[in-house]
Amino acid sequence: MTQQTIKIISPIDGSVYAERTCATPEQIEAAVNRARAAQRAWAATGLAERTAALTRFTDALLAMNDEIVPELAWQMGRPVRYGGEKRGLEERARYMISIAEEALAPLEKKDKPGFVRYIRREPLGLVLVIAPWNYPFLTAINSIVPALIAGNAVLLKHASQTLLVGERFQKAADAAGLPEGLFCNIVMDHESTEKLIASGRIDHISFTGSVEGGRRIERAAAGTFATLGLELGGKDPAYVRRDCDLAYTVENLVDGSFFNSGQSCCGIERIYVDAAIHDEFLERFVETAKGWTLGNPLDPDTVVGPMARANFADLVRRQIDEAVRQGAVAHLDTKHPEDREGSPYLAPQVLSNVNHQMSVMREESFGPVVGIMKVSGDEEAITLMNDSPYGLTASIWTKDLEAAARIGARIETGTVFANRCDYLDPALVWTGVKDTGKGGALSEIGYHNLTQPKSYHLKEV
């Protein structure tokens, strides 16, 4: 029987950029057995040895960046001008390495004479990381580095659009001298992935992807008692108060809306602006957005590349068309020879006169479109920001940080930003609420979610 293959169809020109063979059930079983065997020995090594190995792993990944940048353009369309994901990857990996000793230290209880009591954090065992295509290095590194440092083994199943990223991680693991089988990049289709999860041989699943994908993983894991970290959809809002720094706010929100062609879990998809400054904000925003021009991602001058797949772009086109039919105003001239139905090339669009009856303000777009809506003040903004099934991040643009914190306390979200957006600080937990998922990555809490507590209650006699 011929083994199934997965093809990477490049958004640049529709060509087959790479093709890989899916692992057979026997190969998957062998990978699991090797990982479990390697994990037992790995967990017994000292933390200093593990952090040193993951430092070498990080160094090896960073050394490949010149090759990685064009690979990303071919695989998922990000312009080469941005230099890949090197800066964010290094920041997250090195931070998680730096806090490992403190985050994994035993929690000692010394207030009871005659007893030695403490809580240790022990590895879960085998972690399956299912990584997406939109930020294929950053999303994966969030789990891979802390999972391995904590003493786990890791299987990586990367998205079909970015299979070569998984191979880069494998090369880094090999270059770092990680024990054979401890980390394994494996090519699997959805059916094989769900069967592996349902087998009960996976201890933790870290998944970044769609809400429906998260539901399928939950169903597959039912009854196995595997722990889950699910980072799913988003429809992240921004609220622009009348006391904001207008020029700064416009510049950053345009970037937050259109960077990576809007294909960011925490990208800005809806903006609520105080009525007192709405018209000026909109005018400045549109003028700034005109500089975000569409083109071939291999061209160093290109600011916005194609979306990863044509069907993703067509979904956004449908949202825009529906909104305009319902009275929204489209502000950008999107004429581009490649921007047409059935093409992954989609120019940015700014919509005003929008409302929450429009899908562009309610459903995840995950593309280069943003709706801008006038609000009367804080109360209306809070109501509208919470009028969503998602809750990953929300940003408040104001010079009054006390007001930002006060407003943020009432927003149903995983992260509250003030005067910032579309960024992960590795010192803070990355988490979401509602349909955005469960669990949390990065920070010391990320380590806690990749380990299990074990209590020691020792009485002197």
Side-chain angles (χ1 to χ4, degrees):
M1 185 176 66
T2 304
Q3 284 182 253
Q4 181 180 344
T5 64
I6 297 176
K7 296 177 180 178
I8 300 175
I9 306 300
S10 176
I12 292 178
D13 59 6
S15 64
V16 177
Y17 181 60
E19 183 174 5
R20 296 294 182 266
T21 302
C22 292
T24 65
E26 294 77 17
Q27 290 170 328
I28 295 170
E29 178 71 12
V32 170
N33 290 338
R34 285 193 301 270
R36 286 202 164 276
Q39 187 273 327
R40 287 189 287 272
W42 177 249
T45 64
L47 179 59
E49 183 177 340
R50 298 199 298 268
T51 55
L54 269 297
T55 298
R56 296 194 299 272
F57 173 84
T58 302
D59 291 341
L61 268 178
L62 296 173
M64 302 178 204
N65 198 62
D66 288 346
E67 299 169 350
I68 286 171
V69 170
E71 279 183 0
L72 282 177
W74 280 104
Q75 288 178 94
M76 51 74 66
R78 185 179 305 134
V80 295
R81 70 179 293 152
Y82 297 114
E85 300 174 16
K86 180 178 180 179
R87 183 172 62 179
L89 184 150
E90 181 169 22
E91 180 186 26
R92 297 181 195 184
R94 297 210 192 283
Y95 181 81
M96 294 305 287
I97 291 168
S98 74
I99 68 166
E101 184 174 4
E102 180 179 358
L104 297 171
L107 181 61
E108 297 183 3
K109 305 291 184 177
K110 298 180 178 181
D111 56 344
K112 194 171 184 180
F115 291 86
V116 176
R117 299 178 304 153
Y118 55 94
I119 302 167
R120 291 189 61 185
R121 305 214 65 89
E122 298 196 341
L124 294 171
L126 180 53
V127 173
L128 173 63
V129 177
I130 305 175
W133 51 264
N134 64 314
Y135 282 94
F137 285 94
L138 294 181
T139 51
I141 208 75
N142 292 349
S143 298
I144 291 172
V145 165
L148 290 169
I149 288 178
N152 298 290
V154 171
L155 296 181
L156 172 62
K157 185 260 180 220
H158 222 295
S160 58
Q161 193 67 37
T162 44
L163 291 177
L164 302 190
V165 174
E167 295 177 4
R168 290 292 178 182
F169 276 107
Q170 188 66 64
K171 288 179 182 178
D174 296 342
L178 294 183
E180 184 178 355
L182 181 72
F183 173 88
C184 180
N185 172 59
I186 190 163
V187 179
M188 295 187 290
D189 59 18
H190 292 318
E191 182 181 359
S192 296
T193 304
E194 290 176 17
K195 284 183 178 178
L196 174 58
I197 293 170
S199 72
R201 303 197 69 197
I202 301 297
D203 300 299
H204 178 84
I205 301 104
S206 175
F207 172 77
T208 304
S210 69
V211 174
E212 180 53 34
R215 290 194 177 110
R216 290 180 66 172
I217 286 170
E218 280 200 324
R219 288 194 293 268
T224 68
F225 305 118
T227 56
L228 302 176
L230 304 176
E231 198 241 285
L232 310 176
K235 189 72 181 173
D236 288 8
Y239 170 38
V240 181
R241 298 181 86 230
R242 64 178 64 191
D243 68 339
C244 73
D245 180 324
L246 195 56
Y248 172 87
T249 299
V250 166
E251 178 185 0
N252 281 272
L253 284 179
V254 170
D255 182 278
S257 300
F258 300 136
F259 186 81
N260 205 39
S261 299
Q263 299 168 127
S264 174
C265 300
C266 57
I268 298 300
E269 296 208 359
R270 48 199 177 110
I271 302 175
Y272 305 100
V273 185
D274 190 291
I277 60 169
H278 172 271
D279 292 352
E280 183 180 2
F281 174 88
L282 178 61
E283 181 181 354
R284 291 194 185 196
F285 191 97
V286 170
E287 192 59 34
T288 302
K290 289 177 181 177
W292 285 69
T293 51
L294 179 66
N296 187 312
L298 297 175
D299 183 342
D301 293 330
T302 292
V303 182
V304 179
M307 296 185 69
R309 295 181 185 171
N311 60 312
F312 299 159
D314 282 344
L315 182 148
V316 179
R317 289 186 177 99
R318 289 194 296 272
Q319 287 186 337
I320 294 170
D321 290 345
E322 176 205 68
V324 171
R325 286 196 305 271
Q326 294 178 3
V329 177
H331 290 270
L332 297 180
D333 178 2
T334 60
K335 291 178 182 177
H336 186 281
E338 296 293 337
D339 185 352
R340 61 186 183 278
E341 186 176 357
S343 167
Y345 285 85
L346 178 63
Q349 186 56 273
V350 179
L351 300 174
S352 65
N353 198 35
V354 291
N355 59 58
H356 275 223
Q357 281 68 54
M358 300 173 181
S359 62
V360 76
M361 296 297 283
R362 295 276 302 160
E363 300 171 13
E364 186 171 31
S365 302
F366 217 62
V369 61
V370 65
I372 299 176
M373 188 171 175
K374 185 186 301 185
V375 295
S376 57
D378 295 350
E379 290 301 318
E380 186 179 11
I382 291 167
T383 298
L384 291 170
M385 283 192 282
N386 286 337
D387 183 26
S388 170
Y390 304 109
L392 185 56
T393 80
S395 62
I396 302 155
W397 301 80
T398 176
K399 295 176 182 176
D400 186 344
L401 294 187
E402 289 186 5
R406 186 172 63 250
I407 294 166
R410 297 174 59 192
I411 301 173
E412 298 159 356
T413 189
T415 294
V416 175
F417 287 113
N419 306 315
R420 191 165 204 179
C421 63
D422 196 22
Y423 171 75
L424 275 69
D425 183 340
L428 300 174
V429 67
W430 188 243
T431 188
V433 299
K434 300 192 281 190
D435 281 0
T436 291
K438 62 192 296 185
L442 301 175
S443 77
E444 62 271 25
I445 294 174
Y447 275 113
H448 294 172
N449 289 335
L450 292 163
T451 55
Q452 56 192 5
K454 183 174 183 177
S455 292
Y456 287 76
H457 191 146
L458 313 178
K459 183 179 180 181
E460 298 174 356
V461 295

